[in-house]
Amino acid sequence: MKSILYVRLPCWKIYPEGVIRVADYIHKHESGIKQFILDLSLAKPGERKTVLLQAIEELKPAIVAFSWRNIQTFAPHDDGPGAALTTVFKFNYAPSLLDKLSAVFEGFGLILDYHFQVRQNLSYINLAKKKLPHTKIVVGGPAFTIYPEEIIRQCPQGTIGVIGEGESALLKIIRDEDLSNEEVIIKKADGTIVKGEKQKYFKLEELTPIDFDYIQAIFPDFSSFLDGDVGIQTKRGCPYNCIFCIDNHIEGKEQRFRNPRMVVEEIEILNRKFGVDKIWFTDSQFCATEQSIPQAEEVLDEILPRKLAIQWTGYIRIEN
């Protein structure tokens, strides 16, 4: 029996929908695979390597799959350390020279924090490879998708990087199948970098509701995310080119839709069985284009007759 350890690299506490969905998909196609999800965000910084080593020792996985969500230091918001946009405005527009000087030091701190975060995440990947030299190391997630070549060059030899959607690529990695028609980037044993070319998008209409009982069994910290916003995806892809957003790069520009009934069955399970009452639609926008309006309406029409005691939110484009 093969086994997979999913390791979510540290970020702020946010529902790990991507990792959960991939693990559910793998379980439904290879039920004999033993899986475990570890979220390092929930461990104290000084204990993360110990927690990772403990999980490796207990599971002895054939594959360790890292999800790298954020390279977030320079994001234009006030969450987390730094507040980069505030620092830039302070330097450019503050009337006081002392304020400008303090912004210089804050900016220097942002740069140091960025390099520290990257080195820390790479240290977890290197630690897994050192502990399990014959195990396959896989790296994916939004941050990796944005900087695949930069990150893969710093990963251990033999690392497989998954760009964008992870379901079909990871299934092929498990089955030792050819990856040339998947969007992957591989650091070979001699250090050279090779890339596959994606032939087609993943078919979202094939996704059934997540088996949350199974997820709870392989992800002991699952319940700690249920008192906040729980992410549900109704579609992937965005045709716009907003300068502040990377969703179209991560998911592609072609909009693809899930079956609305499957989406709402997922929501109903979360609400009635797990007490979730706050749903966040994780699409780039819930109402993105005129093409997406009918699907959004179908989702809401599926929610209403079920009389679910939930609040929902998400990004919208106001013209739609």
Side-chain angles (χ1 to χ4, degrees), residues 54-168:
Q54 182 179 354
I56 288 173
E57 184 62 32
E58 291 177 359
L59 191 63
K60 293 181 173 57
I63 298 171
V64 183
F66 290 90
S67 175
W68 193 328
R69 187 186 192 277
N70 292 342
I71 296 181
Q72 201 64 31
T73 298
F74 303 114
H77 56 62
D78 290 337
D79 292 339
L85 194 60
T86 302
T87 301
V88 171
F89 281 0
K90 185 176 175 182
F91 178 78
N92 284 336
Y93 302 113
S96 165
L97 288 176
L98 285 176
D99 285 341
K100 288 181 181 289
L101 185 61
S102 72
V104 170
F105 285 104
E106 289 168 11
F108 184 64
L110 286 171
I111 294 170
L112 291 178
D113 179 68
Y114 164 76
H115 284 287
F116 174 77
Q117 289 184 46
V118 171
R119 286 199 306 271
Q120 280 293 104
N121 282 355
L122 289 169
S123 74
Y124 301 127
I125 297 170
N126 286 317
L127 180 63
K129 186 64 175 180
K130 182 179 179 180
K131 188 69 176 177
L132 299 169
H134 302 296
T135 287
K136 288 182 180 178
I137 301 294
V138 180
V139 185
F144 182 83
T145 294
I146 299 303
Y147 302 111
E149 294 194 22
E150 292 82 354
I151 293 176
I152 198 74
R153 293 184 189 281
Q154 301 178 70
C155 290
Q157 293 175 346
T159 299
I160 303 171
V162 177
I163 300 170
E165 300 171 305
E167 289 93 343
S168 62

Side-chain angles (χ1 to χ4, degrees), residues 295-313:
Q295 196 250 9
E297 289 179 338
E298 286 186 53
V299 169
L300 300 180
D301 285 341
E302 283 283 343
I303 290 175
L304 286 170
R306 299 175 195 241
K307 301 187 185 302
L308 302 178
I310 61 167
Q311 298 175 347
W312 65 265
T313 187

Side-chain angles (χ1 to χ4, degrees), residues 14 36 77 114 117 171 211 223 239 280 305-306 308 312 314 317:
I14 184 171
F36 188 84
H77 56 62
Y114 164 76
Q117 289 184 46
L171 189 60
D211 183 348
S223 61
W280 172 266
R306 299 175 195 241
L308 302 178
W312 65 265
R317 294 186 68 90

